[in-house]
Amino acid sequence: NTPKPGEVIVRPEAKPAESIALDLAGKTDLTVECFAKFPKEGAAGELFAFTPEGAPQFQLAVADGVLKAKVVPGTGGLNVETAAVPTDGAWHHVAMVVDGYAAGTSRVRLYVDGVRSATHVERVNWTVPFTAGTFEVGRGFNGKVSSVRVTTGVVAPADFLSERMKS
């Protein structure tokens, strides 16, 4: 049962990590968001990743106390980091927005609690749009992840998942 883009596709808090088949065939712009609870010290691991073989990939992880997004569109890649992640033990909304495939200049934006915390714009060579593949949540993450949503297209901060969606 492959989820439709835009649905809340997993609530993995009950599991340490989860893999889901996800079909993004032909899509280029997307928004991936979730709620995360970061440990007070040493936050590390992957919040989510989409890694089909030989096709565009994306990942959002935390290391060295910051969020690190990576988008590999075919050749080259986009990397962006935020300021320090919140370590207050509370749930925080995190979003990664990727757009610009058609224009040839791609943009990756990261948001924490609805506030843009990082942007990276670069001219990249998108060789193909996204395809179907495996979407992984929480691999190696030492915090908690809940209510992950993948939406094709750009979602504005006002339309991000609300607090009530968190499990």
Side-chain angles (χ1 to χ4, degrees):
N1 190 1
T2 302
K4 294 180 177 78
E7 293 178 328
V8 174
I9 61 169
V10 65
R11 296 179 188 271
E13 191 176 356
K15 300 177 183 179
E18 189 164 357
S19 294
I20 302 150
L22 184 62
D23 188 356
L24 294 176
K27 307 303 180 196
T28 54
D29 299 342
L30 60 93
T31 301
V32 186
E33 54 185 319
C34 67
F35 285 94
K37 190 183 284 189
F38 302 96
K40 293 191 183 292
E41 294 180 7
E46 192 173 86
L47 296 173
F48 51 77
F50 182 69
T51 55
E53 191 171 321
Q57 305 174 3
F58 60 83
Q59 173 192 52
L60 184 62
V62 61
D64 303 322
V66 298
L67 286 173
K68 297 184 178 199
K70 182 174 186 175
V71 178
V72 180
T75 60
L78 300 165
N79 295 287
V80 60
E81 295 182 6
T82 66
V85 296
T87 56
D88 57 6
W91 286 101
H92 293 276
H93 180 269
V94 177
M96 178 176 78
V97 179
V98 180
D99 68 326
Y101 172 86
T105 300
S106 292
R107 179 171 51 174
V108 176
R109 289 168 284 171
L110 298 179
Y111 294 83
V112 177
D113 294 328
V115 176
R116 187 168 48 193
S117 59
T119 300
H120 182 83
V121 178
E122 187 173 325
R123 186 159 187 75
V124 295
N125 181 19
W126 283 87
T127 54
V128 294
F130 289 108
T131 63
T134 301
F135 183 73
E136 298 198 39
V137 177
R139 183 174 53 186
F141 183 53
N142 61 350
K144 294 182 178 180
V145 179
S146 181
S147 301
V148 178
R149 179 172 76 171
V150 178
T151 305
T152 56
V154 173
V155 175
D159 297 320
F160 284 160
L161 288 171
S162 68
E163 185 72 15
R164 65 180 167 71
M165 296 296 293
K166 177 174 54 49
S167 61

